[in-house]
Amino acid sequence: MKTNIVSTATGKANVSALFFVKKSVQFSNVLSENAEKQVESVLNGMEDGPFEDLELLEIDGQSTLFVNAAKERGISSLDHLRMAAYRLAKRASKRQIPMVSMMLADAAPEQFKSILHGLHYADYKFDAYKSKQKDAFQVTFEIVAGEHTAEFKKIAEEAAIENKAIVLAKNLINTSSSDLTPAEFVENANTIAKYTPGLSIKVRNMKQLEKEGFMGLVTVGKGSSHEPYMITLSYDGSKGSKNVAKNAKKNARTSADHLVFVGKGLTFDTGGLCLKPPKSMPEMISDMSGAATVLAAIQAIATLELPIKVSAVCCLAENAIGNKSVLPGDIFTAKNGKTVMVDNTDAEGRLVLSDGLAEAGIIGATHIVDLATLTGAMVRALGYAVAGFFSNDDDLALKVINCGEACCEKFWSMPLEEEYADALKDHFADLKNTGSDAGAIAAALFLQEFVPEDTAWAHWDIAGTAFVNKTWKYTEYGATGFGVQSLIELARRMSGVAHEDAANEDTDGEYVAVEA
């Protein structure tokens, strides 16, 4: 997929595309009188027949695709645009249309960005293991931006950086576990740090983890022939750079915050001696989605040169069965001094995250966001469309929701219900790693025990949203890339580059927000 952003149409396009909502054309007020009558007739036909979404018709002598921008149920107006652009790009590629022109001069910046992301999503495929690989037909999208040409070009650059990060996360998650061991993940992270200006990396191996007391990772990873690692990636944009002033908006400031992402990175999870059922095994290639997401996000944040200090901690292990595997009933001392009895070896994600949260405190986090494919309970509660999250800070919780809305990623705030905390007490140790009720809440309460004091914290349980085994929005199968954009947006807003209420602002464009 290629984009060409121009102020006026070049006349070279093979097909024009018109977005519509019910009987209203969006973003285009330059149709001729004759074309307006033809379009009115078509849109009447969309409601009553015989025309359908993505119908290709002649309008004023120009082949035109009509794209329904309110087709799906239950998604936001911005996500409608993403879906519409995604479907448009898929259809254009399938029909092998060389160039499609879109009149977007009346689109608001966030609407334009949503359309761009939809086009990018349509371009993704993962065929690394296919014996025969076939390149998709490349479509050029001519975007007629009018007086917004310069602004839209900048937005397109940002969207391309974000999309590159999403593709990185998806590729890592979709890679089979035998090809992406903890050591292989480290190698990928080292390469990214090497070629991303401003990004540094620290890697701890098994011996270093044990020496420094990061025993959650050691306990989980010691049963595998592939040793565990902890990666800490650091980017400090708080001191500014030569490009920050150029890239930031007028309201940008130098943030005093230190935002730390912590990602669960189980490159494969057998469940340990508390073995998972066979049906659950194949999708365990995605149990490192949290680590992949935070790695991708910090790469994009550094590339965008956002004026904020950000770190990412990847907690990497393979939960396998071996002669050194942790036994149910074993007790270890966590980095913060608390003792933990391993009640269930398949509740291992919270054990490795305890080390990541401790590391976040050591490096001086003011705000922590951890991401993990943590509980089946969250999948049962919210399914694959919504990520549940927990937070000890109302301001951070509101930021998460607003960032999700801006990025078309749904979050639902869950309660840190202290009534369930006593179930985590153990007879011999301070804690055990499972509770008796409310599995997702119990997991979050366990993690809270390791959050540094006086630190704002949010825990994202992405067990349902990170990986899908059926078509969902712009993912046919596999990794969704969920969370990458919201983390980038969180850093952007905390740095002051974006308005806090951007997701809730009225737009100047003509788009009609319709919940289908």
Side-chain angles (χ1 to χ4, degrees), residues 8 39 92 122 208 322 331 368 409 412 458 486 498 516:
T8 56
V39 167
Q208 292 166 313
I331 295 173
I368 301 173
E409 295 181 333
W412 189 265
S486 290

Side-chain angles (χ1 to χ4, degrees), residues 60 80 96 187 224 229 251 269 343 383 404 406 420 439 466:
D60 230 6
H80 274 307
Q96 297 193 346
E187 206 170 298
S224 172
Y229 290 87
N251 65 317
D269 178 20
D343 186 49
Y420 299 121

Side-chain angles (χ1 to χ4, degrees), residues 94-335:
K94 185 176 181 180
R95 285 178 173 261
Q96 297 193 346
I97 302 171
M99 183 181 288
V100 177
S101 179
M102 293 188 286
M103 299 292 298
L104 297 179
D106 294 331
E110 61 269 26
Q111 295 168 339
F112 171 60
K113 191 172 185 179
S114 283
I115 289 170
L116 276 179
H117 274 297
L119 299 178
H120 280 302
Y121 274 117
D123 223 22
Y124 179 79
K125 65 176 179 176
F126 186 76
D127 59 2
Y129 296 103
K130 294 288 187 181
S131 58
K132 294 181 180 179
Q133 298 176 351
K134 185 179 179 181
D135 291 333
F137 184 83
Q138 290 295 308
V139 181
T140 297
F141 289 92
E142 179 184 82
I143 296 165
V144 183
E147 62 184 19
H148 301 296
T149 302
E151 180 186 12
F152 280 13
K153 284 183 178 180
K154 181 180 181 295
I155 292 171
E157 290 174 2
E158 292 180 357
I161 291 169
E162 292 176 8
N163 181 69
K164 182 180 178 182
I166 293 166
V167 168
L168 168 64
K170 291 169 79 170
N171 284 346
L172 287 171
I173 296 165
N174 286 332
T175 299
S176 68
S177 296
S178 293
D179 294 329
L180 191 71
T181 62
E184 290 289 342
F185 193 106
V186 169
E187 206 170 298
N188 277 276
N190 275 324
T191 301
I192 288 165
K194 180 179 179 180
Y195 292 104
T196 305
L199 193 59
S200 62
I201 186 169
K202 179 178 181 179
V203 179
R204 294 180 176 95
N205 61 19
M206 176 79 152
K207 289 183 179 179
Q208 292 166 313
L209 291 169
E210 196 164 11
K211 181 180 178 180
E212 295 182 39
F214 291 104
M215 296 306 295
L217 276 162
V218 172
T219 299
V220 173
K222 65 183 181 178
S224 172
S225 59
H226 301 291
E227 68 174 276
Y229 290 87
M230 179 188 285
I231 298 171
T232 303
L233 296 129
S234 301
Y235 159 76
D236 191 355
S238 64
K239 298 175 182 178
S241 73
K242 62 182 180 181
N243 291 324
V244 165
K246 178 180 72 175
N247 292 337
K249 293 183 179 179
K250 291 180 180 180
N251 65 317
R253 57 180 170 80
T254 299
S255 174
D257 297 323
H258 183 184
L259 176 61
V260 179
F261 306 142
V262 179
K264 173 188 172 184
L266 270 292
T267 58
F268 194 78
D269 178 20
T270 65
L273 293 178
C274 301
L275 194 66
K276 287 183 181 293
K279 287 185 178 180
S280 301
M281 289 283 195
E283 290 183 21
M284 288 303 102
I285 66 169
S286 69
D287 214 21
M288 35 62 69
S289 295
T293 302
V294 304
L295 172 62
I298 197 170
Q299 181 201 35
I301 290 164
T303 304
L304 290 165
E305 295 186 304
L306 298 180
I308 184 172
K309 188 175 183 179
V310 180
S311 298
V313 183
C314 300
C315 306
L316 305 169
E318 182 181 78
N319 189 21
I321 297 174
N323 59 4
K324 295 182 179 180
S325 293
V326 60
L327 306 176
D330 282 356
I331 295 173
F332 72 92
T333 302
K335 178 66 175 174

Side-chain angles (χ1 to χ4, degrees), residues 213 333-340 354-355 358 431 448-451:
T333 302
K335 178 66 175 174
N336 69 348
K338 295 183 180 181
T339 56
V340 179
S354 72
D355 286 340
L431 299 165
Q448 191 177 31
E449 295 287 332
F450 302 91
V451 175

Side-chain angles (χ1 to χ4, degrees), residues 23 51 108 131 163 167 300 357 370 386 392 418 421 427 450:
K23 294 185 179 182
F51 304 126
S131 58
N163 181 69
V167 168
L357 293 169
D370 78 69
V386 185
N392 65 358
E418 292 289 338
H427 293 291
F450 302 91

Side-chain angles (χ1 to χ4, degrees), residues 332-394:
F332 72 92
T333 302
K335 178 66 175 174
N336 69 348
K338 295 183 180 181
T339 56
V340 179
M341 189 274 281
V342 182
D343 186 49
N344 187 328
T345 64
D346 193 26
E348 84 299 329
R350 62 203 73 180
L351 303 183
V352 303
L353 286 174
S354 72
D355 286 340
L357 293 169
E359 170 71 349
I362 291 168
I363 62 178
T366 59
H367 298 74
I368 301 173
V369 178
D370 78 69
L371 286 80
T373 47
L374 206 63
T375 66
M378 189 61 76
V379 181
R380 291 188 289 274
L382 298 179
Y384 51 82
V386 185
F389 81 98
F390 302 80
S391 183
N392 65 358
D393 184 89
D394 290 342

